Amino acid sequence: MQKDLLKLLDLTKEDIIKILNVADQMKYNQKHGLTHNYLQGKTVAMIFEKNSTRTRVSFETGMFQLGGHALFLSGKESQIGRGEPIEDTARVLSRYCDGIMIRTFGQDEVETLAKYASIPVINGLTDFAHPCQVLADLMTIREHKARLEGLKMCFIGDGNNMANSLIVGGLKCGMDVSVACPEGYDPDQKVLDFAKTVTGSKFQLCRTPQEAAVDADVILTDVWASMGQEGEKAAREKAFAGFQVNDALMALTHEGCMVQHCLPAHRGEEITAEVFEAHADEIFDEAENRLHAQKAVMFLLMGGEHA
């Protein structure tokens, strides 16, 4: 394992599978009342410059279940929000805590934090990557399909942090990946360059959801306008018209195709209420698995492996 979890591009397939295996064990332990204080006496500082429901609750709950403590630091209420250099915050928190989770805008901020911190740094979300969410997605797909290798993953929507991380995670785990985005909303070029280097798995960037969805084993989508893009809502609604997961699109997929959504969902926009409710169990398994996947990450990065 790497010292930090900054983006899935940094991980090997073996790293990802190891996290998923530990996450499965964490989930089994919780469901069977087996508690282990692997991180007793340890503290993770959680820096939030973007709002959150699932990230905050899952990290805070997960750290509690591992016997440790989580500290919530709002960007507005900490010195970061008043202009303290990220380098200084990294070095201060390294003297107090055993790990840092940050949910922010720029990937460069996370990378700088990790460079100057002497403790593990976990990316809870940036505009470029959402590794914790995609680890939970992969965990859920494997849980329902009993494998990842050889399956076809399809993402419909904006080429955002979710698309970037799904492409990398899916391809590294031996999945074929298709992505449907309108012109001008493609995934990051670094991710597209990575996809060209992959052998054994296929990658498609499509301009219609119908082309991307053919024979898919799992369909994923996300909101059309993410946090910080509220001013683009009208333009994005126009650009993404037709990029909806609905019954007609699902008819093109493999029988038993799963649906995943990182939430919150805007029913009637990127997904219909009918498809969402038909696949609600899978979607909320995915949401729950944020807890178990992140516990695995904290366990592996913060010393629980050696407990």
Side-chain angles (χ1 to χ4, degrees):
M1 278 286 294
Q2 299 282 323
K3 166 186 168 284
D4 309 295
L5 176 61
L6 308 182
K7 55 189 182 296
L8 295 185
L9 280 168
D10 298 333
L11 302 186
T12 64
K13 176 182 180 179
E14 290 72 27
D15 290 333
I16 295 172
I17 297 302
K18 184 174 186 177
I19 293 170
L20 299 184
N21 289 344
V22 173
D24 286 344
Q25 186 64 53
M26 293 288 179
K27 187 169 186 175
Y28 177 90
N29 289 354
Q30 191 210 38
K31 299 299 182 186
H32 291 81
L34 303 173
T35 57
H36 298 289
N37 295 329
Y38 293 119
L39 298 183
Q40 185 159 9
K42 299 203 172 189
T43 302
V44 63
M46 307 187 304
I47 302 171
F48 285 89
E49 295 185 321
K50 280 190 174 186
N51 293 336
S52 165
T53 298
R54 280 154 290 278
T55 299
R56 179 177 178 181
V57 175
S58 56
F59 266 104
E60 201 160 325
T61 301
M63 195 59 178
F64 173 78
Q65 291 177 359
L66 290 170
H69 181 66
L71 292 169
F72 174 78
L73 301 173
S74 163
K76 294 178 182 178
E77 296 167 358
S78 66
Q79 295 297 338
I80 286 181
R82 300 180 64 242
E84 180 174 60
I86 195 74
E87 298 93 323
D88 294 354
T89 297
R91 287 179 284 203
V92 168
L93 292 179
S94 295
R95 303 292 181 106
Y96 298 151
C97 303
D98 302 284
I100 302 169
M101 188 284 297
I102 181 167
R103 181 177 170 94
T104 188
F105 293 89
Q107 181 70 21
D108 57 336
E109 188 173 353
V110 176
E111 303 277 347
T112 301
L113 187 67
K115 179 180 177 181
Y116 286 90
S118 58
I119 56 177
V121 172
I122 300 169
N123 179 357
L125 174 142
T126 63
D127 291 342
F128 172 72
H130 201 350
C132 291
Q133 176 65 57
V134 171
L135 288 169
D137 296 345
L138 294 171
M139 178 184 177
T140 311
I141 296 165
R142 194 172 74 161
E143 204 171 61
H144 282 259
K145 298 289 187 182
R147 63 189 173 101
L148 293 172
E149 200 148 343
L151 296 178
K152 180 178 176 180
M153 169 195 287
C154 171
F155 177 82
I156 307 293
D158 187 16
N160 59 11
N161 49 14
M162 280 300 300
N164 291 335
S165 295
L166 284 166
I167 292 167
V168 175
L171 291 175
K172 286 197 175 195
C173 289
M175 305 178 80
D176 292 337
V177 179
S178 62
V179 174
C181 304
E183 290 273 3
Y185 295 92
D186 287 354
D188 191 275
Q189 190 59 49
K190 289 191 290 293
V191 171
L192 297 179
D193 291 342
F194 161 78
K196 293 174 185 175
T197 70
V198 175
T199 57
S201 296
K202 298 174 186 173
F203 173 71
Q204 281 182 294
L205 178 59
C206 306
R207 292 304 175 207
T208 69
Q210 291 76 18
E211 182 185 2
V214 171
D215 294 334
D217 297 293
V218 54
I219 295 271
L220 301 100
T221 190
D222 192 8
V223 295
W224 292 340
S226 298
M227 281 178 286
Q229 299 171 338
E230 290 81 4
E232 305 172 28
K233 190 173 189 301
R236 283 174 170 268
E237 284 177 354
K238 184 176 179 181
F240 286 94
F243 283 76
Q244 184 186 71
V245 179
N246 52 35
D247 287 335
L249 193 71
M250 294 301 296
L252 301 173
T253 67
H254 270 154
E255 185 178 352
C257 179
M258 293 175 63
V259 173
Q260 300 277 265
H261 194 305
C262 59
L263 302 177
H266 294 169
R267 294 164 175 81
E269 293 184 10
E270 75 276 3
I271 189 168
T272 63
E274 293 78 14
V275 171
F276 186 95
E277 291 304 329
H279 295 270
D281 285 348
E282 298 159 5
I283 292 168
F284 289 101
D285 282 347
E286 172 192 14
E288 177 190 340
N289 284 342
R290 286 290 300 276
L291 171 66
H292 310 299
Q294 289 160 191
K295 283 170 70 176
V297 169
M298 290 189 289
F299 170 85
L300 291 167
L301 292 184
M302 294 174 61
E305 190 173 19
H306 306 296

